């Protein structure tokens, strides 16, 4: 619809409008410009809704939209029928059947700070004539919106948002979402037909698992859970949709065919109704408060807890609770007047791609890493981003000097969303891939079916160092105080040459190095020694067997009593395990047939590293059977969740709080009220982390 040249011009004009927005606000309005502003907004609506490839942030779009609204208000005679303020965005392209929503799916007005909310509340109070309004505050789920129609208690049809009027029919796909009931007793509320709105998401841990799997397979991951949820709804293979573990929150009823006094009168009661009928509504996540001050308090509190939630939210939605009042407020052509979104700080930002470094990983894979102009995204300064492989660079059409859009969602590593081709000025240069290993100089190799170039010199210094770094890392053997910097330093000084070398480290020599006092040396020694008893799945993951991520490592660990049992398994037997396909099985098989690998494992065992499945063993001994535990404060050597697993693996139980039923309170640093409470109960034994570790089998 818009060609390259038009895009370039419109984007340039957008920048001009945005940069002069403050000046314009205080300047006299020039009528000639209003149509240009409309063109710009139409263009960005097309980018957002049709191409799903926006060029500006929501905030920037809103500022332009508000400006147009302001102009039109000042001069109502200039409002045209097809102004973006007078309609919902039109014209989606895709190959799903198109269906019309019973009620248009409008978007929400956005707010970004307390002042915006105060302003909105003031207008709402004026409109209602009330001194104070009751609001419902709930998360703004960051996924893909859906609309579902139930007829006579049965899910009849569901659709994507589309352009707001017409969407894609995706009933079969929503039937795969476990939290969407296929039947619900709406008849108990006297409802024959109902249209419900909600958001489909992938929770953070499923998203991470899915992305890890893609990365293990050398496929570039999704930039954020929203993209993968939206993408998953448009897959034609329902079995694959089901495997993606989608979830849905239902938060709005847009249409009910017939009224009945059994039906809810408030939004919060509507959420209760949905919940009672088996839907996942945000009943537990929402709060009802009176007055805007409490709303502001709530949204700020939620923003602080944003990262603790299992799914992504990009803000909060504030809704007038009384449904009759909602009706009285009504809608503009763009959004309801009874609700407003409060957007959290953006986790997207634009930057410049300055250069590309090529890093060699533990499997010899050469990964291009983009060095970018430092930029703050969601509170973290980003200066480099993995750009995965040669194909990815081509797919995203990345060039040196490009302006790029980056995103960091939650605990996910930053990703390049796109490059702005329309902003190129001729100074861009192609990214050249090396032919030789940047570390050892060997010729690089790429099997035809793979996307990744590799250095196949197994003794390449980069690979050895990366293997050790991976082995000691947090998710693997978690040897604290043995971070990346120490591994590199020890390797350079010849103090460590391979993974078993960790357990033969010459502490006397380390003690002579700068920065190693007695305390840090003691910590290092204790951490290395404790790691010998890490659960088997951590060791397996730490070995860095290709395609074996944390999930597969756990499957493998549960399968044997001793790691070396794998030397007896055939590829077919390995394939029978959950999550283990042909490629993964072949890789595991090869690993355990390799003489050097076996020698390394034997050496680790000689040095005291447990190759046993301790869980299976202790289940027989039940060392802590009948004993109850609780952890408080920050532990220094164990992860809290691991420590709890250890208790359970050894037959003990974790309690939820301090009570006379508790046998052991394990106290870490900065322990608080639990410790105080436990001190008052004579029978509770208060022990340190070291004491706890000593209780476990060696
Ligand atoms: S209410 C008529 N509630 O945010 C208004 N929307 O930017 C109905 N969204 O299109 C929407 N969480 O897809 C509502 N708790 C929530 C929401 C929510 C996410 C989405 C929705 C909407 C978009 C607006």
């Amino acid at each position: 619809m818009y060609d390259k040249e038009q895009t370039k011009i419109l984007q340039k004009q957008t920048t001009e409008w945005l940069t002069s927005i403050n000046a314009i606000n205080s300047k006299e309005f020039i009528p000639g410009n209003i149509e240009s502003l409309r063109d710009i907004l139409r263009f960005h609506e097309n980018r957002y809704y049709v191409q799903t490839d926006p060029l500006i942030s929501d905030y920037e779009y809103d500022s332009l939209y508000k400006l147009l609204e302001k102009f039109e208000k000042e001069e109502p005679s200039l409002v045209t029928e097809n102004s973006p303020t007078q309609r919902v965005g039109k014209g989606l392209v895709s190959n799903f059947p198109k269906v019309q929503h019973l009620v248009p799916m409008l978007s929400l007005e956005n707010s970004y700070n307390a002042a915006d909310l105060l302003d909105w509340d003031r207008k709402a109070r004026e409109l209602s004539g009330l001194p104070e309004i009751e609001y419902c505050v709930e998360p703004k789920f960051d996924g893909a919106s859906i609309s579902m129609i139930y007829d006579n208690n049965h899910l009849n049809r569901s659709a994507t948002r589309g352009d707001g009027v017409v969407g894609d029919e995706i009933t079969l796909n929503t039937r795969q979402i476990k939290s969407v009931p296929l039947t619900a007793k709406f008849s108990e509320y006297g409802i024959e037909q109902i249209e419900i709105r909600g958001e489909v998401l992938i929770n953070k841990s499923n998203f991470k698992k899915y992305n890890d799997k893609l990365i293990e397979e050398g496929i570039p991951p999704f930039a954020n859970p929203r993209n993968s949820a939206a993408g998953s709804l448009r897959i034609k293979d329902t079995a694959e949709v089901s495997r993606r573990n989608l979830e849905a929150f239902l938060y709005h009823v847009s249409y009910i065919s017939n009224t009945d006094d059994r039906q809810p009168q408030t939004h919060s009661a509507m959420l209760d109704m949905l919940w009672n009928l088996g839907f996942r509504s945000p009943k537990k996540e929402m709060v009802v408060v009176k007055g805007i001050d409490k709303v502001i308090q709530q949204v700020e509190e939620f923003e602080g807890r944003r990262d603790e939630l299992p799914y992504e939210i990009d803000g909060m939605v504030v809704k007038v609770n009384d449904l009759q009042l909602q009706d009285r407020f009504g809608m503009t052509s763009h959004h309801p007047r009874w609700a407003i979104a409060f957007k959290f700080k953006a986790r997207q930002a634009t930057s410049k791609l300055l250069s590309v470094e090529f890093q060699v990983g533990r499997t010899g894979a050469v990964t291009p890493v983009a060095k970018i102009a430092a930029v703050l995204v969601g509170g973290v300064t980003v200066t480099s981003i993995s750009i995965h492989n040669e194909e990815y660079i081509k797919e995203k059409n990345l060039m040196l000097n490009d302006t790029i859009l980056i995103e960091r969602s939650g605990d996910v590593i930053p990703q390049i969303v796109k490059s702005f081709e329309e902003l190129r000025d001729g100074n861009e240069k192609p990214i050249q891939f090396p032919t030789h290993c940047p570390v050892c100089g060997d010729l690089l190799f790429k099997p035809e079916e793979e996307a990744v170039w590799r250095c196949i010199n197994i003794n390449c210094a980069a690979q050895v160092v990366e293997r050790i770094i991976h082995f000691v890392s947090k998710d693997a053997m978690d040897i604290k105080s043995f971070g990346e910097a120490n591994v590199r330093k020890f390797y350079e000084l010849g103090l460590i040459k391979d993974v078993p070398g960790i357990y033969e480290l010459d502490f006397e020599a380390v003690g002579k190095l700068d920065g190693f006092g007695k305390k840090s040396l003691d910590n290092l020694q204790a951490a290395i020694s404790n790691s010998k008893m890490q659960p088997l799945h951590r060791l397996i993951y730490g070995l860095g067997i290709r395609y074996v991520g944390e999930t597969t490592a756990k499957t493998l660990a549960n399968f044997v009593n001793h790691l070396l049992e794998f030397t007896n398994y055939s590829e077919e037997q390995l394939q029978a395990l959950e999550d283990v396909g042909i490629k993964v099985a072949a890789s595991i098989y090869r690993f355990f047939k390799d003489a050097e690998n076996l020698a390394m494992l034997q050496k680790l065992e000689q040095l005291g590293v447990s190759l046993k499945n301790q869980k299976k063993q202790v289940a027989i001994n039940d060392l802590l059977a009948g004993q109850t535990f609780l952890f408080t404060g920050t532990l220094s050597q164990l992860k809290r969740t691991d420590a709890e697993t250890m208790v359970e693996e050894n037959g003990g139980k974790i309690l939820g709080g301090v009570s006379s039923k508790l046998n052991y309170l394990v106290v870490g640093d900065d322990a608080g009220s639990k410790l105080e409470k436990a001190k008052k109960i004579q029978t509770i034994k208060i022990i340190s982390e070291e004491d706890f570790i000593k209780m476990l089998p060696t």
Side-chain angles (χ1 to χ4, degrees), residues 48 58 104-110 138-146 161 197-199 249-252 254 267 282 314-319 331 335-336 338-339 341 343:
Y48 187 91
D58 288 1
M105 277 177 98
L106 302 184
S107 49
L108 292 168
E109 185 181 354
N110 285 332
E138 62 193 44
K140 184 170 184 311
F141 303 101
D142 196 7
S145 44
I146 52 160
R161 179 181 192 279
R197 303 270 156 87
E199 206 82 358
F249 271 101
L250 282 310
Y251 46 64
H252 180 60
S254 45
H267 173 68
D314 62 342
M316 301 297 289
V317 183
V318 185
K319 296 174 180 171
M331 324 247 179
H335 56 253
W338 45 262
K343 302 273 279 188

Side-chain angles (χ1 to χ4, degrees), residues 429-563:
K429 292 198 181 64
I431 298 168
Q432 293 287 356
F433 228 83
T435 51
H436 290 75
C437 173
V439 176
C440 72
D442 264 24
L443 194 65
L444 296 181
F445 173 76
K446 182 164 92 73
E448 223 172 90
E449 71 283 7
E450 285 194 16
V452 178
W453 284 95
R454 278 174 205 283
C455 165
I456 48 173
N457 168 15
I458 187 109
N459 295 316
C460 167
Q463 292 183 47
V464 177
V465 170
E466 293 301 329
R467 280 201 293 270
I468 304 174
I469 291 172
H470 175 73
F471 189 87
V472 302
S473 69
K474 193 162 160 278
D475 295 332
M477 295 295 266
D478 192 23
I479 310 187
K480 296 227 167 52
S481 14
F482 207 145
E484 180 171 344
N486 278 340
V487 174
R488 291 192 193 285
K489 192 192 276 173
F490 297 165
Y491 185 86
E492 264 166 39
L493 295 171
L495 289 168
I496 185 171
K497 290 193 183 63
D498 52 19
V499 167
I502 297 167
Y503 298 97
E504 295 178 304
L505 195 61
D506 179 349
F507 290 106
E508 214 171 292
V510 175
K512 290 189 186 126
L513 301 176
D514 272 357
F516 278 92
K518 173 152 176 15
K519 186 148 189 256
S520 53
L521 202 60
D522 284 350
N523 285 345
L524 183 63
Q525 212 160 351
I528 292 176
S529 163
N530 289 334
S531 77
K532 293 178 180 174
M533 289 316 295
Q534 284 288 28
L536 186 56
H537 66 87
R538 285 180 165 273
L539 173 66
I540 297 177
Y541 177 62
L543 293 173
I545 307 169
R546 267 188 80 192
Y547 308 123
V548 176
E550 282 180 80
T551 317
T552 313
K554 280 189 183 146
T555 309
L556 293 178
N558 280 331
F559 188 61
V560 290
N561 289 309
H562 190 282
L563 186 57

Side-chain angles (χ1 to χ4, degrees), residues 13-28 37 40-41 56 59-71:
Q13 289 174 348
T14 306
T15 317
E16 284 165 11
W17 274 98
L18 284 170
T19 44
S20 56
I21 225 157
N22 293 330
I24 291 167
N25 271 333
S26 58
K27 246 192 348 195
E28 281 297 290
L37 185 53
I40 286 170
L41 283 164
I56 55 174
Y59 179 77
E60 289 167 327
Y61 174 84
D62 284 344
S63 335
L64 294 171
Y65 188 91
K66 280 187 179 150
L67 190 65
L68 178 63
E69 265 186 338
K70 180 173 175 282
F71 286 168

Side-chain angles (χ1 to χ4, degrees), residues 35 74 102 146 316 353 359 413 492 519 554 572 589 602 616 640 670 683:
E35 199 47 42
E74 282 168 10
L102 298 182
I146 52 160
M316 301 297 289
L353 200 168
Q359 294 179 356
I413 48 169
E492 264 166 39
K519 186 148 189 256
K554 280 189 183 146
E572 289 72 26
Y589 181 79
Q602 276 150 2
K616 284 203 169 177
R640 169 85 62 103
D670 301 315
T683 50

